[in-house]
Amino acid sequence: MVDRGEASWASLPAAEREEMAEVVATLTKPAAEGYMEAQACLGGIYTFGDGVAVDEGRAFELCRQAAQQGDAGSQYNLGNMYRDGRGCEQSHERA
C-alpha cells in the first residue's frame, strides 16, 4: 500500500529492510536496560511498523517508559495513545 506518496515497507529493497531489522535488534537491549532514547525510538518504530509489524501494545509500553524519564516526544505520543485508546484502554483523563 502506498500512502501520501511514500513507499510501503514491503516495496523497499531487501537490503533496506534488513538494515531496519538490524536497527531494531540494536535498540532492543538498550531499551530493555532503560535507556530513554532507545525506548522512544523503538516506540515510534512499533507505532508505525517501520521494519516490524505494528504493535500498539509494545509501542505504548516503550513510549510510557521513555515518557516517565522525561522524553517530551514520548509524553506527547503517550497522550495521543491514551486519547485514542491505541495500545491501552482509552482515557481522556490520562491523555
Side-chain angles (χ1 to χ4, degrees), residues 6-92:
E6 298 172 13
S8 71
W9 184 254
S11 70
L12 292 176
E16 290 181 31
R17 291 193 308 265
E18 185 176 313
E19 182 177 343
M20 193 61 190
E22 290 175 20
V23 168
V24 170
T26 299
L27 289 172
T28 298
K29 184 178 179 189
E33 293 174 350
Y35 288 94
M36 179 181 70
E37 293 85 359
Q39 292 166 337
C41 188
L42 271 180
I45 288 170
Y46 281 106
T47 296
F48 298 105
D50 295 331
V52 297
V54 170
D55 185 340
E56 290 182 342
R58 181 83 174 119
F60 174 82
E61 185 57 30
L62 288 160
C63 284
R64 186 190 63 75
Q65 291 169 357
Q68 287 180 332
Q69 294 184 69
D71 184 72
S74 293
Q75 291 168 347
Y76 174 81
N77 292 337
L78 191 64
N80 287 335
M81 291 171 145
Y82 274 121
R83 181 196 66 206
D84 300 337
R86 288 184 290 119
C88 61
E89 185 175 328
Q90 187 177 34
S91 173
H92 293 280

